[in-house]
Amino acid sequence: MKRRLFPMRRGASSCATPALRAPFFANFGGPAAPRTLAQLVRGDEGALTVLFAVTASMMIGTLCTAIDTIDYAQTQGRMQMALDVATLSAGADLSHYAMTTSADLASWQADARAYYNANMPTGYMSLTMPDQNFAASVSGTPATGQVIKLSASGSVPLYAPTFLNTKSTSSSGSGSGSGSSGSTLPSTQTISASNTALRVPKSTLELALILDNTGSMASAAAKGGKTSKLSGLQDAANSLVANILGVQGNDSYIGLVPFTTMVNVGSALSSSGTWMTQTTSKQFAYNPTNMSMSKWGGCAVEPRDTAGNVYPKAYAPKDSPGFTPWYFNVPSTGFTVQTYDNNCNLQKNGTTVVKGVPLSYAYYYASPGLCQSKTPTTVPTNFMAQYPYSGTVTYDQNGSDYDSRPCSIQPAVFLTQDQNALTTAINNMVANGSTLIPTGLLWGWRMLSSDWSKSVAGSNNGWISNDGTLPRPETTQGLQRVAIVLTDGENDPGDPSGTMPQPFFNQLALGNQTLKSPTVYDSTGNALNGLVSSPDDVNTFQLGICQAMKNSGIIIYAITFGTYGTDSASVAAQNTMQSCATSGNYYHAPDNATLNQIFQQIAGNLGVLRLTQ
C-alpha cells in the first residue's frame, strides 16, 4: 500500500476554516489591509523598505554632489582657459594703446573682456557672472616689462541642495540640513579664475632704424612748434635704443640707416671688397683719371642688369652685376661761383669759391642764349643743367644738398650693442637733401640679410663688425628681424636735371631717370616702367621692396611724421607707407610727443609675452 504524502490535506479545501486559511494567504499575498508604520517597521520587508529609502536618498544626494563637482571642474576649467586666452590676447593688444590716459585703459579693459567673452559662451553651464566680477589691470612700462593681471568669478546652481536641503521635522534630526540646527544649504557655488602674464622685451632682436634725414626734417612737426622734427626724432630714437639695449641679459642689436636720396655706408662696409667695383660712375667725377677708392665718399649706386632693370632685392656681395661707387671728388681749389644780373654783368660780391662739392649749372635767361659766353670753362659739362627762368645766370652747387657735399649724410651704423655709438650717430644726423625712401629700405634690408655677414660674404665684403655672424642666419631660432622706417614727406628725388644728389638707382648717364623693374607691378597690373622723377613710380617701387622684405620674414613698422596735406600726392605718400608696414604696424605722429609714444609702443611690441601664474 502506497504511502500518501500530505495526508492532512485531504479535503482541506472544503473543511478548512477561514481562520486557518488567512495566515497561509497572508504570507504570500500580503496583508488584507494596509499596515501601520509600526507594523511595517516591525516586519522584515518593512525594514528593507526603510533601508532602501534611506540608502536611495543618500545615493541621490551623493550623485547630485558628484554632478555638482563635475560641473564645477568643467566650468572652472573653461573659465580658466578663456581667461588665459584673454590675458595673452590682451597682452598683445597693449601695442595699440599708449596707456597714458584713462580712456586708453578703459578701451584696453573692454578689449580684454571681449577676448574672454569670445571663449566663454554666455550662460555656459548656467554660469552667472556680473560685469563687476571681471577685472583687468596692467602695470609697468613697455620697455622694461609689463605685468598683466586678469580675474573673473561667477556662480552656478547646485543640484545637491534640491534633495538634501529639506528641514527635518523629526526629533531624531533626520532632516538634510547642514547640522542638527536645520540650517539651509547654499543653492549656488562660486567659481573663479585668475592669472598673471609678464610681457618682457624681446631678447633676440636685430633692428634696423631707417630714418629720414631730408631737409624738411629741419622744420617743426606741428604748426607753431618750437623744436624741429629731427630733434624730436633724435630724442625718440635715443629713448628706444636705451630701452632695448638697457635690458639686462638682452641679445639685441640695433643698426642705424639715415637716408635722403642716398645712404652712406662708407663706415660700415669695406671699400676694398668686391661687392663694389670701380666702373661706370667715374664719369661723374671731376677728375676721373686720378680717382681711387680712397676718394670714395660712401654712397653706392644700385645694380642694374644689361636691360637697365633695377630689382627690389637685398642682393648678395657675390651677385653680378654688383654695386658701383658714387664719386664726388672735385678740384682741391674748389669751384668758382659767379652770379650775373640780367644784363650779364657780374653782380657785386658775386664771386665766391665753393670747395668740396660739384656744381650744377643753373641758367636763368630772359632770352635764349643770354650770357652763354659767361659760362666758366672750369665747370665740366656733366655738372651743368638748364633752368628756364628769367633773372640771373648762376653757377652754384646743386640745390638739393645746399650747404653740404654730396654723400655727406650721416654714415650708417651696422648692428651693434654699443649704445654710445648709436647715440652719437643719431645726434649727428643733419636735416638736408631730398627723399628716396626705397634707398633707405634697401640698405636697411641688407643690414638684416645674412648674405651680408662676414661669415657668409667674407671679411672684405661683409659688414664691418666684431661679430662675423651678424646678421644672423634667417633660420636662427627665436630671431626677430625688424625694420622701422620713418619719413616726414613723400618720395621726391630732387630736380631731375641736376647731377646731385639723386643717384637714380643706376647713374649710367646724366639725366637717366628710368625706373624699370620686371618684378614690380603698377596699379594697372603691368611691370613697372617709369621714372625716378615720378613720385608715383617711386611709390610703386617702394611697395615692391616692402613686400619683398616682408616675404623674407622682416617685420616692418612704418611711421609718417608731421603735417600732411589732403592733396593726392600727400595721401598717396601716406597710403604707400601704410601698405609698406606689416599689418597693424603703421603709425602717424603729428608731433614730437606722439612720436616718442609710438617709439615706446614699438619697444613694447618687440617683446615676448608669457603666462607666469
Side-chain angles (χ1 to χ4, degrees), residues 252-424:
S252 301
Y253 294 82
I254 301 176
L256 177 66
V257 185
F259 73 90
T260 55
T261 55
M262 308 183 208
V263 171
N264 187 332
V265 295
S267 299
L269 288 170
S270 172
S271 61
S272 62
T274 57
W275 68 275
M276 182 173 61
T277 57
Q278 298 185 60
T279 54
T280 56
S281 291
K282 284 189 177 184
Q283 65 180 299
F284 296 100
Y286 175 75
N287 187 8
T289 59
N290 294 325
M291 284 171 47
S292 68
M293 289 301 294
S294 63
K295 295 181 180 295
W296 175 56
C299 291
V301 178
E302 285 293 309
R304 288 209 179 200
D305 63 19
T306 55
N309 294 313
V310 63
Y311 294 86
K313 291 177 58 178
Y315 291 97
K318 63 181 180 181
D319 286 349
S320 180
F323 296 82
T324 53
W326 176 263
Y327 283 105
F328 64 88
N329 59 322
V330 297
S332 59
T333 56
F335 281 119
T336 299
V337 178
Q338 295 175 311
T339 303
Y340 296 83
D341 62 22
N342 200 41
N343 295 318
C344 301
N345 296 316
L346 184 65
Q347 292 184 345
K348 184 179 181 179
N349 300 322
T351 301
T352 57
V353 176
V354 179
K355 295 185 177 181
V357 296
L359 303 183
S360 288
Y361 168 65
Y363 178 32
Y364 297 90
Y365 61 95
S367 61
L370 183 64
C371 301
Q372 283 268 7
S373 61
K374 302 295 184 178
T375 302
T377 58
T378 57
V379 179
T381 303
N382 281 350
F383 289 116
M384 298 182 184
Q386 288 193 355
Y387 292 73
Y389 303 113
S390 61
T392 62
V393 175
T394 302
Y395 299 96
D396 201 356
Q397 62 198 49
N398 184 277
S400 294
D401 255 347
Y402 296 109
D403 300 324
S404 63
R405 66 183 187 182
C407 200
S408 64
I409 183 173
Q410 173 63 30
V413 177
F414 180 58
L415 298 174
T416 182
Q417 291 184 317
D418 188 339
Q419 183 176 335
N420 290 332
L422 288 166
T423 298
T424 299

Side-chain angles (χ1 to χ4, degrees), residues 483-498:
I484 299 176
V485 56
L486 176 145
T487 185
D488 73 327
E490 59 192 69
N491 283 303
D492 175 20
D495 193 285
S497 58

Side-chain angles (χ1 to χ4, degrees), residues 70-82:
I70 294 172
D71 285 354
Y72 176 89
Q74 187 171 347
T75 305
Q76 203 280 335
R78 181 61 179 259
M79 177 183 284
Q80 188 67 58
M81 179 275 294

Side-chain angles (χ1 to χ4, degrees), residues 94 96-110 136 138 140 142 146 593-594 597 601:
L94 281 172
H96 298 100
Y97 298 101
M99 287 302 167
T100 55
T101 66
S102 58
D104 277 348
L105 178 60
S107 297
W108 175 78
Q109 290 171 330
V138 58
Q146 291 171 293
T594 304
Q597 292 178 5
Q601 290 180 52

